Amino acid sequence: MRDGTPFDPVAVARIAVMLRTGRVGLPRLIAWADAWVMKLDAPPLWLLELCTVLEADRALGLLLDMPGLARSFTVEERDVEDADHLASLLLRHRDGSISWGDFLQRAGEYLDGRNGHRQCEEFFMQLNLLERMGFPEALVQAQREDIERSLVDALERMESAHRRFEAEARGD
């Protein structure tokens, strides 16, 4: 079975997004890798290496170099990857680990130069407006609701991926 395992390139790509955005940290990633190594008769080398990695950048490289991991070449594929990244950042905002301003800043920085349908200016302009107006809660709420509506599918994917990841990291 490949679905959701370390042999599932889609699941691994989503874990890479969660690591890149800070949704999961290195200790949880190592716990996930350890749990899978214990379950598998012959774990792949990249997964074994992940168990002992000391830096998040190296861990991200191992995830992204996983054999069979698809690269986003079309605009549509990049749009899905971008939506997953933005959803993961938005989930960090929801759990209180980053502020709304941080979300907008990080979203804009990520999209800068991505060449998808979503542009960095969308987020930078919203941040600039908030800063000029003094961060009124009503505007923050309106922006958040608008962005959440635009990411509803990605939010569902990334919430599901995170729940599965956490269960696997616990060894469930």
Side-chain angles (χ1 to χ4, degrees):
M1 175 194 280
R2 291 176 50 106
D3 186 41
T5 71
F7 302 103
D8 178 355
V10 173
V12 172
R14 289 189 182 132
I15 291 168
V17 167
M18 290 186 284
L19 180 64
R20 188 182 307 121
T21 60
R23 180 81 172 126
V24 300
L26 189 57
R28 293 304 291 159
L29 183 64
I30 291 170
W32 173 84
D34 285 341
W36 274 108
V37 165
M38 298 304 289
K39 288 179 188 178
L40 298 171
D41 292 331
L45 181 58
W46 71 268
L47 189 62
L48 289 168
E49 287 183 46
L50 201 53
C51 293
T52 61
V53 72
L54 299 175
E55 298 171 349
D57 285 343
R58 175 69 180 130
L60 185 60
L62 288 168
L63 290 170
L64 295 176
D65 287 342
M66 175 229 175
L69 190 68
R71 302 289 185 242
S72 300
F73 294 114
T74 69
V75 172
E76 292 76 19
E77 290 169 333
R78 278 195 304 272
D79 286 346
V80 169
E81 185 178 331
D82 292 348
D84 286 350
H85 188 96
L86 296 173
S88 190
L89 285 174
L90 188 54
L91 291 170
R92 287 199 61 208
H93 168 69
R94 281 185 181 173
D95 73 18
S97 62
I98 61 173
S99 70
W100 184 246
D102 287 339
F103 164 77
L104 292 173
Q105 180 71 35
R106 291 173 190 212
E109 288 171 351
Y110 170 76
L111 289 173
D112 190 20
R114 288 285 299 168
N115 298 321
H117 286 107
R118 280 199 112 128
Q119 299 296 308
C120 63
E121 292 83 6
E122 171 187 352
F123 296 93
F124 289 141
M125 287 174 29
Q126 290 187 58
L127 180 58
N128 288 339
L129 178 62
L130 279 175
E131 289 172 342
R132 280 195 313 272
M133 296 185 71
F135 286 85
E137 187 55 38
L139 181 56
V140 169
Q141 184 65 27
Q143 288 178 344
R144 186 175 22 235
E145 288 172 1
D146 185 48
I147 291 171
E148 284 180 353
R149 270 191 303 277
S150 74
L151 293 172
V152 70
D153 292 339
L155 283 166
E156 186 176 308
R157 279 192 307 270
M158 294 310 291
E159 284 175 321
S160 176
H162 187 255
R163 280 191 305 273
R164 178 185 293 164
F165 171 85
E166 287 296 330
E168 292 168 352
R170 289 188 306 270
D172 296 351

